[in-house]
Amino acid sequence: MSHDSLLQRLLPSLAVLGSVTSLCVGTSFAKHLFPVIGAQGTTALRVGFSALLLLAIWRPWRFGPTRANIRQIVIFGAVLGLMNLLFYMAIKRLPFGVTVAIEFIGPLSVAVWTSRRPLDLVWLGLAVVGLFLLLILPLFGAQVGTLDPVGLAYAIAASVCWAGYIVLGKRTGHMHGGMVVSLGLLSAAFVVVPFGIAEAGAKLLTPSLLIYGLVVAAVSSAIPYSLEMFALKRLSHSAFSTMLATEPAVAALAGMLLLHENLTLTQWSAIGIIMCAAMGSALTARPEPVKTTENKPAHHKPAAAT
């Protein structure tokens, strides 16, 4: 096999890893804003600028959204905004990698519920073991690192929103993916920006913070989403979802290197177990009907959603 053909085969997988890495690095940078404008203000800047960037890229009005389309997208976007807000509220109190691992329970639960195959119970069981190590074992006094209960509540709520995001995203499958995610983020901005204004007020208009927020939005949304669209054209849904399941580990590494969040061996093990559950679910999923990339909905959680 020539080096060119090998590179062509590896590029889609590398694009997914690049997307996940860019997303996690961008989120780590965003966390540095928390002491200045809080998690709510950071979410407002990130989602607001992400919406503006993707509106400029996709220009969704070109696709002629109907009133019914807009109604579906507004509901989808409201859940997307709430998911982002809860996620940022969670990582304010919890390690980044732990939060992402807990959040992955949402899509895994949707996969098990919609499939109802005995094999999917295995993946759900693995996820439960991972959650036990993260959430329950510390209650028995084991030296595995205690987690903030309020942060856990935010993370669990974010996972529920991710599940709702997937269900609602599937209902937009007949629409153009770029139109859905750009207008969805615009709707999300209307949900989260008021919280950001209430938390940070006029600080949100500080020029240096606006520039930082724009960079965070580009690194954690525009760049990763572009890489994901490239990969989706060349990878099967199961392969793409399997690669996406590396996100908890990449998030934990980013948290360790950029935020100095050191996890215990038990927490690393729990993250690995939840990743295995997500990968197993993706690899054994029933194939979906083939759709064109242009109309492919965001069945996974694109970079714009985290």
Side-chain angles (χ1 to χ4, degrees):
M1 181 183 297
S2 68
H3 291 295
D4 289 342
S5 59
L6 178 61
L7 182 62
Q8 288 177 350
R9 293 184 62 181
L10 287 177
L11 271 179
S13 297
L14 292 174
V16 179
L17 287 176
S19 169
V20 170
T21 302
S22 183
L23 170 62
C24 292
V25 169
T27 303
S28 298
F29 287 161
K31 195 167 181 178
H32 289 296
L33 289 174
F34 286 7
V36 183
I37 55 174
Q40 299 97 315
T42 304
T43 309
L45 284 183
R46 192 261 179 174
V47 173
F49 277 123
S50 295
L52 292 176
L53 287 171
L54 289 176
L55 284 171
I57 291 170
W58 288 108
R59 291 171 291 165
W61 50 87
R62 295 179 301 157
F63 307 110
T66 65
R67 185 171 298 179
N69 292 158
I70 292 175
R71 188 183 307 114
Q72 284 183 291
I73 293 173
V74 166
I75 297 172
F76 171 79
V79 174
L80 172 59
L82 189 58
M83 179 177 68
N84 274 271
L85 182 62
L86 290 168
F87 177 78
Y88 272 58
M89 295 293 288
I91 65 172
K92 179 181 179 180
R93 296 170 176 268
L94 300 178
F96 186 16
V98 170
T99 305
V100 173
I102 294 172
E103 200 187 18
F104 256 77
I105 302 303
L108 185 59
S109 299
V110 172
V112 172
W113 177 257
T114 55
S115 174
R116 300 182 184 180
R117 294 178 303 165
L119 180 60
D120 289 310
L121 295 178
V122 174
W123 311 129
L124 183 61
L126 269 181
V128 169
V129 171
L131 286 179
F132 175 83
L133 293 178
L134 280 177
L135 311 182
I136 307 301
L137 198 57
L139 300 180
F140 293 94
Q143 300 300 313
V144 296
T146 56
L147 298 173
D148 184 280
V150 177
L152 288 175
Y154 284 133
I156 292 169
S159 75
V160 173
C161 287
W162 191 355
Y165 167 93
I166 291 172
V167 172
L168 293 170
K170 287 181 179 292
R171 294 177 183 174
T172 64
H174 59 287
M175 305 180 207
H176 189 282
M179 179 183 74
V180 172
V181 76
S182 56
L183 291 180
L185 269 172
L186 179 61
S187 301
F190 281 105
V191 172
V192 303
V193 167
F195 287 95
I197 294 173
E199 172 70 15
K203 290 181 182 178
L204 290 176
L205 299 178
T206 305
S208 59
L209 293 181
L210 288 174
I211 293 172
Y212 196 96
L214 178 60
V215 171
V216 165
V219 174
S220 61
S221 290
I223 294 173
Y225 188 69
S226 299
L227 291 172
E228 287 178 2
M229 293 299 289
F230 170 83
L232 277 168
K233 295 179 181 179
R234 296 160 178 83
L235 289 176
S236 66
H237 185 269
S238 62
F240 181 88
S241 299
T242 303
M243 294 294 299
L244 203 69
T246 61
E247 186 178 338
V250 176
L253 286 171
M256 182 175 65
L257 297 175
L258 301 175
L259 301 170
H260 309 292
E261 296 176 345
N262 295 314
L263 303 182
T264 66
L265 179 60
T266 303
Q267 289 172 334
W268 276 106
S269 300
I271 288 172
I273 290 170
I274 292 173
M275 283 174 55
C276 288
M279 290 179 178
S281 176
L283 288 170
T284 59
R286 292 191 178 116
E288 296 185 1
V290 177
K291 298 176 182 178
T292 62
T293 304
E294 291 182 342
N295 293 322
K296 191 177 184 64
H299 289 183
H300 65 287
K301 183 174 66 171
T306 303

